[in-house]
Amino acid sequence: MVAVTLFSLLISCPSLNPSCKTLCLPSKSLLLRKEKSFPSSNPSSVRRRQAFRRICCSAANKPSPSTEISSTAKIRSEVLSPFRSVRMFFYLAFVASGAIGGLISITQLIPALANSSRSAELPEILKGLGIDIGAVLFFAFLYTRENSAKNVQLAKLSREESLSKLKLRVDQNKIISVSDLRGVARLVILAGPASYIAESFRRSRPFSDSLLERGVLVVPFRTDASTPFQFEGNDEEMIVDKKRRLWQLRPVYTSEWANWIDEQKKLANVSPDSPVYLSLRLDGRVRGSGVGYPPWNAFVAQLPPVKGIWSGLLDGMDGRVL
């Protein structure tokens, strides 16, 4: 009964987040009154009305923290944790049930304390009150922990969604998004100065063929200059044809890449000047990251090939996400 009552209250309760329409309704009516008071042929009145519209829209459309998470990230969170909403609902229902039971116990406790003839009922009433309080605290703790895990997962999915929208140049005539490589390639993003990227390239030489067999593609992002990373003459000769595909991707719109990488460093408490790498799974989620040079030999040992008899079966064996 308590669960049904709580569910009806949750449905009937209006949203706590004000929408743009709600905020603009008073301003819209005021704008209509102003339009009647000024003739349309007056250029100054037209400018005032246009300015008023701009002020209204900029105030009402200001994004709130609750709207920063995209609907795609929320859907992916529901898919990854399909029973989380059910658990959170029952946690709230049990908290409400325990709170109601505690209120009933308090209404019984006060007369028992005031009437000495009912003192024999005190132990049983206190026992029930203790159970109710314990149940409220326990299920409130479970709900808080579940909600915190949900917010952390949504934040991760939102950052991964922002990463999927970043652009990459394959060649002079083709630009794609990171999301276009989902299910096709495992990206390894390198962010650091030119010397760091060049050394990472030299360390990857012995593993180039094995990395390509595992669908690994490298995205070198140079942080010490706004120009893309360019290989030296000898290096350019070595990556011709097959081996060149490992390092063929180039970031486009470097300011967006820089903002995303800086945010990742800040969340990981990494110095802004530190060179870092991030490795992605086939589904586009971050499977590993670190400061310094990427462990190419570990990638070869841990990742299954994307072609062959085991390709479809082992597609999900990319490791857990961070």
Side-chain angles (χ1 to χ4, degrees), residues 77-113:
S77 178
E78 291 292 336
V79 172
L80 294 173
S81 302
F83 300 108
R84 173 172 287 156
S85 299
V86 177
R87 292 195 301 267
M88 294 178 69
F89 170 78
F90 279 109
Y91 292 158
L92 284 177
F94 293 149
V95 168
S97 178
I100 293 174
L103 291 176
I104 295 175
S105 298
I106 291 175
T107 59
Q108 295 174 350
L109 179 63
I110 295 175
L113 292 175

Side-chain angles (χ1 to χ4, degrees), residues 44-299:
S44 61
S45 64
V46 174
R47 288 194 296 270
R48 280 193 292 268
R49 289 199 300 271
Q50 292 175 349
F52 193 86
R53 289 192 185 99
R54 287 196 295 268
I55 293 173
C56 175
C57 291
S58 63
N61 295 332
K62 183 178 180 181
S64 62
S66 60
T67 59
E68 292 178 358
I69 305 298
S70 65
S71 58
T72 305
K74 293 179 180 179
I75 293 173
R76 291 181 64 191
S77 178
E78 291 292 336
V79 172
L80 294 173
S81 302
F83 300 108
R84 173 172 287 156
S85 299
V86 177
R87 292 195 301 267
M88 294 178 69
F89 170 78
F90 279 109
Y91 292 158
L92 284 177
F94 293 149
V95 168
S97 178
I100 293 174
L103 291 176
I104 295 175
S105 298
I106 291 175
T107 59
Q108 295 174 350
L109 179 63
I110 295 175
L113 292 175
N115 190 353
S116 58
S117 61
R118 300 182 56 184
S119 58
E121 302 176 6
L122 283 176
E124 191 67 24
I125 295 174
L126 291 175
K127 179 181 178 181
L129 180 61
I131 293 174
D132 292 331
I133 294 175
V136 168
L137 295 177
F138 176 70
F139 288 109
F141 166 75
L142 292 180
Y143 177 84
T144 303
R145 187 181 66 172
E146 197 74 45
N147 190 53
S148 299
K150 176 183 177 181
N151 293 335
V152 170
Q153 186 182 60
L154 283 174
K156 290 180 180 178
L157 293 175
S158 180
R159 292 195 299 271
E160 292 171 357
E161 197 67 25
S162 300
L163 173 62
S164 68
K165 297 177 182 178
L166 297 180
K167 303 297 183 181
L168 294 169
R169 182 181 295 279
V170 180
D171 52 38
Q172 294 298 327
N173 301 320
K174 187 174 182 180
I175 295 178
I176 62 174
S177 300
V178 173
S179 59
D180 295 332
L181 296 175
R182 285 179 179 172
V184 177
R186 300 179 172 104
L187 296 185
V188 176
I189 302 171
L190 305 180
S195 58
Y196 164 76
I197 297 176
E199 179 62 25
S200 298
F201 170 72
R202 284 190 285 271
R203 296 189 179 200
S204 70
R205 287 176 181 174
F207 309 101
S208 296
D209 294 335
S210 300
L211 291 172
L212 285 172
E213 291 175 0
R214 286 152 177 80
V216 175
L217 294 179
V218 182
V219 181
F221 179 73
R222 185 176 179 180
T223 58
D224 58 348
S226 58
T227 57
F229 175 76
Q230 298 292 336
F231 291 101
E232 298 177 359
N234 295 334
D235 293 338
E236 189 70 30
E237 295 175 0
M238 290 194 62
I239 58 175
V240 174
D241 299 330
K242 182 179 178 181
K243 293 185 178 180
R244 183 177 182 178
R245 292 190 291 114
L246 182 62
W247 294 77
Q248 67 179 336
L249 301 177
R250 296 291 182 273
V252 183
Y253 308 125
T254 55
S255 60
E256 298 179 2
W257 279 90
N259 292 336
W260 189 87
I261 291 173
D262 290 342
E263 181 183 359
Q264 289 294 111
K265 289 182 178 181
K266 187 182 299 182
L267 292 172
N269 295 323
V270 176
S271 173
D273 300 329
S274 301
V276 296
Y277 73 90
L278 293 94
S279 64
L280 307 185
R281 307 196 321 174
L282 275 176
D283 58 2
R285 302 199 64 187
V286 179
R287 68 175 294 272
S289 63
V291 178
Y293 299 105
W296 304 114
N297 57 340
F299 293 159

